[in-house]
Amino acid sequence: MRDDAPNSWESRADAYSLYGFTDLPSIVERGAVVLTHGKGPYVFDVHGRQYLDANSGLWNMVAGFDHPGLTQAAKDQYDKFPGYHAFFGRMSDQTVMLSEKLVEVSPFERGRVFYTNSGSEANDTMVKMLWFLAGAEGKPQRRKIITRVNSYHGVTAVSASMTGKPYNSVFGLPLPGFIHVGCPHYWRFGKDGETEEQFTARMAAELEARIIMEGPDTIAGFFAEPVMGAGGVVVPSKGYFQAIQPVLKRYGIPLIADEVITGFGRTGNTWGCQTFDFMPDAIISSKNITAGFFPMGAVILGPDLADRIQAAAEAVEEFPHGFTASGHPVGCAIALKAIDVVMNEGLAENVRTLTPKFQAGMEYLAQNPNIGEWRGVGLMGALEAVKDKATKTPFPGTLSVSERIANTCTDHGLICRPLGQAIVLCPPFICTEAHLDELFNKLGDALKQVFAEVA
Ligand SMILES: *Cc1c(COP(=O)(O)O)cnc(C)c1O
């Protein structure tokens, strides 16, 4: 598989790269896949092999890898004004226009926007805003942040502390004051005999009990992805947000929707909070905001938080926070174009058109005796591998089943992602029905091959 010559791309990548979030035994055996370019939903490696990228890069390349309008928007803005910051009361015209646009397409009547370079920094920024607010409003003890087990909010020290994954223990994280409550995945965490409604009610009751135990006046905010993405596409149990939001309201705890994946159409509506019918106090956006053509994150504050944080800033004459490239004019120009492309060039519509076929494909593959569950919403989904479907018993971790499935897919020209024992799918919004056929044919073959080896 890998080219072991010392000057091969694989050897050069090995020699000089510290691989992040990469299964190193797979690298030793197979080498890195070094890519040169893309076309539509396909990417191409240095050996000329073509792959259908069923993960849209990392959820973000929703308009594919060569969208002419997006590259043109980038080129035009580089020609006009290639970079500027947003400090000291200066910012680019593109930045002003994008903030206006983001509030317009948000579920909020009005609001304010703050830019970062990534989703992690956007969550980090939101936490600092809540801490800033707590201090300004005379409640400096309101510092704890609640998130959920299995959630993913990023990798900075704060956003990794918010992330509810066990791997962060290698960093000695989470930091104190970051609390993880139950994950609303009914299939996995529902108790014997518990209905989905009872499960949802238990999630809300456990949240309330935890808030009371911690002291309601010590909690700064609650963050949730409308659908957990990197947790393995966990669609919340029925009525989840309707059950937890009143609990949070009762104790004056803001609900922040981390829409880094679910934003801009992935779930079939512009925002995941619209699909799941709740109104957050703020939205965290990144990934799709530029269709992956530029690194950018944004905090979009709804009216209440916008007013309170603005007042807190006025009280000390400054909100002392910002990144050098916050509101970068090229990123903002690309984001403006990306929002236009997704919302007005038929991409959002295409997500809704393709969803039934996408879900039918997963449902079909879930007939396999070693697929325990398919789950998903819009164009995001996962298939969960199990050793025993009836008891939901996973395969032994040492078999690396999901890695094997993903590696077998790669061998057949399909990129998909192993996550725990699940395979995650989130194809670009520009896909056609033929692309979905290719996806499910290749994935179906890989499942057969790997389960024959391990079952
Ligand atoms: C990817 C992701 C982040 C982190 O974004 P980065 O740009 O990788 O820092 C945060 N939240 C969610 C829900 C994500 O999927």
Side-chain angles (χ1 to χ4, degrees):
M1 178 87 237
R2 60 174 293 157
D3 179 350
D4 274 323
N7 64 346
S8 71
W9 286 101
E10 292 85 350
S11 301
R12 289 162 65 191
D14 277 358
Y16 297 104
S17 309
L18 180 64
Y19 295 106
F21 282 126
T22 296
D23 179 51
L24 294 179
S26 289
I27 285 290
V28 171
E29 194 187 312
R30 306 170 54 85
V33 178
V34 182
L35 300 163
T36 52
H37 65 287
K39 191 169 183 346
Y42 295 98
V43 290
F44 297 82
D45 73 10
V46 286
H47 305 291
R49 283 186 291 245
Q50 172 176 329
Y51 306 88
L52 175 63
D53 193 333
N55 285 147
S56 306
L58 204 46
W59 309 90
N60 55 349
M61 304 297 293
V62 296
F65 295 93
D66 62 347
H67 192 283
L70 286 167
T71 48
Q72 194 60 49
K75 287 176 192 165
D76 291 347
Q77 186 57 34
Y78 271 120
D79 284 340
K80 190 174 150 221
F81 194 31
Y84 212 72
H85 61 81
F87 285 36
F88 320 130
R90 296 192 280 277
M91 66 176 63
S92 80
D93 55 355
Q94 303 300 313
T95 317
V96 175
M97 287 192 282
L98 180 60
S99 301
E100 221 165 47
K101 177 54 88 180
L102 285 173
V103 173
E104 179 197 318
V105 303
S106 80
F108 307 128
E109 267 161 51
R110 54 194 181 80
R112 291 181 188 273
V113 181
F114 197 97
Y115 296 101
T116 68
N117 308 297
S118 67
S120 302
E121 292 166 331
N123 278 314
D124 214 301
T125 294
M126 186 72 238
V127 169
K128 283 182 73 180
M129 286 177 174
L130 293 170
W131 288 346
F132 179 66
L133 196 58
E137 293 184 347
K139 304 217 159 139
Q141 75 286 0
R142 262 196 187 258
R143 290 184 67 82
K144 291 179 191 164
I145 300 293
I146 306 180
T147 58
R148 286 99 44 88
V149 168
N150 275 332
S151 65
Y152 185 85
H153 298 289
V155 295
T156 59
V158 159
S159 59
S161 294
M162 296 163 69
T163 293
K165 302 274 205 167
Y167 55 70
N168 280 314
S169 66
V170 300
F171 303 107
L173 295 173
L175 295 167
F178 288 82
I179 295 158
H180 302 110
V181 297
C183 167
H185 187 188
Y186 175 59
W187 178 81
R188 177 51 76 197
F189 298 111
K191 292 181 177 162
D192 277 347
E194 191 176 41
T195 66
E196 190 164 351
E197 288 72 15
Q198 288 165 341
F199 172 77
T200 295
R202 175 161 66 83
M203 288 290 107
E206 286 178 9
L207 171 64
E208 181 152 25
R210 187 63 189 260
I211 291 169
I212 291 167
M213 189 191 99
E214 296 288 338
D217 229 27
T218 67
I219 294 160
F222 177 92
F223 287 68
E225 303 156 84
V227 182
M228 286 183 184
V233 188
V234 176
V235 180
S237 59
K238 224 176 288 154
Y240 174 77
F241 284 101
Q242 290 66 35
I244 62 157
Q245 191 154 35
V247 173
L248 297 168
K249 283 218 165 94
R250 194 138 62 234
Y251 300 104
I253 299 168
L255 166 58
I256 315 300
D258 183 344
E259 299 248 17
V260 169
I261 284 174
T262 48
F264 302 104
R266 177 60 76 185
T267 67
N269 292 295
T270 305
W271 303 102
C273 62
Q274 293 163 333
T275 298
F276 294 96
D277 198 22
F278 69 98
M279 180 60 83
D281 294 293
I283 285 177
I284 307 300
S285 177
S286 188
K287 291 199 169 94
N288 307 1
I289 194 173
T290 56
F293 278 54
F294 199 88
M296 176 180 283
V299 174
I300 309 171
L301 298 170
D304 177 58
L305 283 181
D307 291 349
R308 287 163 63 197
I309 293 169
Q310 176 69 20
E314 284 169 9
V316 292
E317 299 189 349
E318 180 176 41
F319 175 53
H321 182 76
F323 300 92
T324 301
S326 289
H328 193 289
V330 177
C332 291
I334 293 172
L336 281 161
K337 183 67 188 179
I339 294 167
D340 183 47
V341 164
V342 169
M343 298 183 73
N344 304 321
E345 285 185 12
L347 269 64
E349 185 62 38
N350 197 41
V351 171
R352 291 189 284 274
T353 307
L354 288 182
T355 292
K357 186 178 170 77
F358 178 65
Q359 297 190 342
M362 288 191 290
E363 193 175 355
Y364 176 74
L365 292 183
Q367 291 172 8
N368 190 305
N370 290 112
I371 296 294
E373 182 196 46
W374 79 269
R375 49 184 184 260
V377 58
L379 277 192
M380 61 194 293
L383 291 160
E384 184 86 26
V386 285
K387 186 164 165 42
D388 183 330
K389 198 163 181 153
T391 59
K392 305 179 184 176
T393 311
F395 284 100
T398 47
L399 286 178
S400 303
V401 166
S402 57
E403 280 80 10
R404 281 201 212 196
I405 295 167
N407 288 340
T408 306
C409 286
T410 308
D411 293 342
H412 295 116
L414 172 70
I415 290 178
C416 56
R417 177 174 173 201
L419 240 170
Q421 302 229 335
I423 294 292
V424 165
L425 304 171
C426 50
F429 299 175
I430 49 144
C431 277
T432 61
E433 298 208 346
H435 293 131
L436 293 188
D437 287 334
E438 180 182 347
L439 190 173
F440 287 113
N441 287 334
K442 288 183 168 168
L443 179 57
D445 289 347
L447 292 178
K448 262 187 228 143
Q449 186 179 328
V450 172
F451 292 142
E453 286 164 20
V454 300

